Amino acid sequence: MAISRTHALTNCHVMGEGRHWFILVRKRKGIVARLAHADPCSDRCIVRVSRPVLIPVLAVRAHEDPTD
């Protein structure tokens, strides 16, 4: 999920052990992404792309806990 024009949030387990990845953007063109920050405890990683091509989300809705 793009959180800015140059940064995306994803799960760390999706990233695996690599250091560079490709993110598909408009018209199926790939752009190189590099790990900017990782928090393995919460399974959240932020990757940074080399050019400001991402379209960030405007808002995120609250997630309801199904156990409540």
Side-chain angles (χ1 to χ4, degrees):
M1 169 176 59
I3 56 175
S4 76
R5 299 278 292 154
T6 56
H7 290 80
L9 175 68
T10 189
N11 295 104
C12 293
H13 76 269
V14 172
M15 305 304 292
E17 297 296 323
R19 292 181 180 244
H20 299 93
W21 302 270
F22 283 100
I23 294 179
L24 293 178
V25 292
R26 285 183 256 164
K27 298 182 183 178
R28 297 190 181 263
K29 293 183 180 182
I31 187 167
V32 175
R34 290 185 171 83
L35 185 63
H37 180 74
D39 182 3
C41 293
S42 66
D43 193 30
R44 293 185 187 127
C45 282
I46 297 176
V47 294
R48 185 177 194 284
V49 295
S50 55
R51 294 189 322 261
V53 296
L54 303 177
I55 301 171
V57 295
L58 298 177
V60 177
R61 66 179 173 84
H63 173 72
E64 294 182 30
D65 187 349
T67 61
D68 289 341

